[in-house]
């Protein structure tokens, strides 16, 4: 396994920054913290940051890329979105033209558009690593499902299909390894948790860990799109979530992969451990 040999770090001696797109998001901020802790130069780019970066405004790309040695490519809102592959491909080509040597792509399982984006990154000409990930555990504590957990009911248009939820910390660890160890060049890691859970199972784990009364309810896609879960979300994001729930979560990803162990030489973190740690942080409050 990779961790059994001495690490080779291309970027240890350079002062050129590693650009983290979505650097304030679930995976980006974890990656930035780890790389900074290792003494590597990091540049965080986001729509509200400096430099500002917006996938929909190509005029922002060049400034963010200027002088960068490598890039963590995290596409918003999701690589499954229509047109994402072409946009990521254009960005990757610009990055290589501006001297970027390594691209680490955050991708998704069972998403045709995401797989097309992977191909675009591979063809761009830089060293590459692809992190093809299952659903994030942190969606329940740091994203759109947090409010539902706090309200006591997670209502989604998904039934008994099971998902091997992945911990964002495992994704960050794999990304940092990809930037700091040359043996991850040209590797595609399919990152999943160690076991399959339905969304109902996951909610039950959260209830047990937090001491809160939280239940899971299966609803129709129409009810989801017009209900409280979608309130305040942009229409394009609602449409994307509906596609993910009704198409990607159709059983195609109902298997566990050993990508975390391949990349890091250790097992993936379990959902139960994530739930206990999140509960201890106070994000879900006390028993209710």
């Amino acid at each position: 396994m990779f961790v059994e040999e001495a690490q080779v770090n291309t970027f240890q001696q350079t002062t050129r920054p590693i650009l983290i797109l979505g650097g304030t998001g679930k995976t980006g901020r974890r990656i930035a913290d780890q790389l900074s802790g290792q003494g590597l130069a990091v540049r965080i780019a986001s729509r509200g940051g400096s430099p500002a970066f917006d996938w929909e405004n190509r005029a922002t790309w060049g400034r963010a890329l200027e002088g960068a040695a490598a890039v963590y490519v995290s596409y918003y809102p999701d690589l499954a979105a229509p047109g994402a592959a072409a946009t990521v491909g254009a960005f990757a080509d610009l990055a290589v033209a501006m001297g970027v040597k390594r691209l680490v792509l955050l991708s998704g399982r069972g998403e045709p558009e995401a797989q097309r984006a992977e191909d675009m990154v591979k063809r761009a000409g830089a060293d590459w690593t692809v992190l093809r990930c299952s659903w994030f555990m942190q969606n329940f504590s740091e994203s759109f499902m947090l409010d539902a957990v706090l309200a006591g009911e997670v209502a989604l248009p998904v039934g008994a299909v099971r998902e091997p939820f992945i911990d964002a910390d495992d994704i960050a660890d794999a990304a940092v390894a990809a930037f700091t160890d040359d043996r991850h060049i040209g590797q595609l890691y399919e990152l999943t948790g160690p076991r399959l859970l339905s969304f109902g199972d996951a909610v039950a784990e959260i209830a047990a860990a937090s001491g809160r009364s939280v239940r899971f309810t299966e609803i129709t896609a129409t009810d989801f799109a017009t209900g409280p879960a979608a309130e305040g979300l942009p229409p394009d994001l609602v449409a994307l979530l509906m596609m993910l729930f009704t198409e990607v979560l159709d059983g195609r990803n109902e298997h566990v992969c050993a990508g975390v162990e391949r990349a890091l030489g250790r097992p993936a973190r379990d959902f139960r451990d994530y739930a206990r740690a999140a509960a201890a942080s106070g994000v879900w409050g006390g028993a209710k």
Side-chain angles (χ1 to χ4, degrees):
M1 295 179 184
F2 290 124
V3 293
E4 293 177 351
E5 304 174 20
Q7 288 190 343
V8 181
N9 188 343
T10 295
F11 301 114
Q12 194 65 53
Q13 304 302 320
T14 184
T15 58
R16 294 173 61 195
I18 298 173
L19 173 65
I20 311 294
L21 302 184
T24 59
K26 289 186 287 295
T27 59
R29 71 173 184 274
R30 289 170 163 86
I31 295 165
D33 287 346
Q34 284 198 48
L35 292 173
S36 296
Q38 294 186 26
L40 297 173
V42 171
R43 177 185 298 159
I44 294 174
S46 63
R47 285 180 296 175
S50 180
F53 180 88
D54 188 340
W55 280 108
E56 296 182 356
N57 181 3
R58 298 193 182 195
T60 66
W61 296 3
R63 184 181 174 195
L65 284 166
E66 187 173 359
V71 185
Y72 176 66
V73 183
S74 173
Y75 182 81
Y76 180 85
D78 191 279
L79 273 186
T87 302
V88 167
F91 174 83
D93 289 343
L94 177 62
V96 172
M98 293 185 65
V100 168
K101 301 301 182 183
R102 187 168 304 181
L103 298 169
V104 177
L105 176 68
L106 177 66
S107 186
R109 300 174 81 217
E111 302 172 4
E113 189 73 3
Q115 270 81 85
R116 284 191 285 271
E118 294 173 7
D119 292 338
M120 296 284 193
V121 168
K122 291 176 184 178
R123 292 199 296 262
D127 295 333
W128 58 266
T129 306
V130 172
L131 307 178
R132 186 185 288 172
C133 302
S134 56
W135 275 70
F136 296 0
M137 298 177 187
Q138 279 74 12
N139 283 335
F140 292 98
S141 55
E142 301 177 21
S143 192
F144 71 99
M145 289 191 284
L146 172 58
D147 288 343
V149 172
L150 293 176
E153 181 182 24
V154 178
L156 299 172
V158 60
V161 66
R162 297 175 300 164
E163 175 74 8
F165 296 93
I166 182 73
D167 194 310
D169 288 319
D170 284 340
I171 301 170
D173 289 351
V176 170
F179 285 121
T180 58
D181 188 334
D182 290 353
R183 285 163 297 176
H184 297 286
I185 294 171
Q187 295 293 321
L188 187 156
Y189 296 116
E190 193 156 349
L191 304 181
T192 76
R195 61 190 172 108
L196 294 165
L197 296 92
S198 68
F199 277 77
D201 294 334
V203 170
E205 295 267 8
I206 290 170
S210 65
R212 296 180 62 90
S213 176
V214 189
R215 68 182 184 275
F216 173 78
T217 303
E218 181 181 358
I219 59 174
T220 67
T222 300
D223 287 342
F224 174 80
T226 58
E231 287 183 4
L233 296 179
D236 59 340
L237 183 54
V238 174
L240 174 62
L241 287 171
M242 288 183 64
M243 184 273 289
L244 293 173
F245 281 123
T246 58
E247 295 182 25
V248 176
L249 285 169
D250 61 358
R252 71 183 71 177
N253 295 325
E254 206 169 18
H255 58 277
V256 169
C257 296
V260 172
E261 191 160 1
R262 282 184 56 226
L264 302 173
R266 62 162 176 79
R269 293 177 174 91
D270 188 76
F271 193 95
R272 186 165 298 151
D273 296 325
Y274 150 74
R276 289 170 176 168
S281 76
V283 68
W284 294 317
K288 182 178 178 181

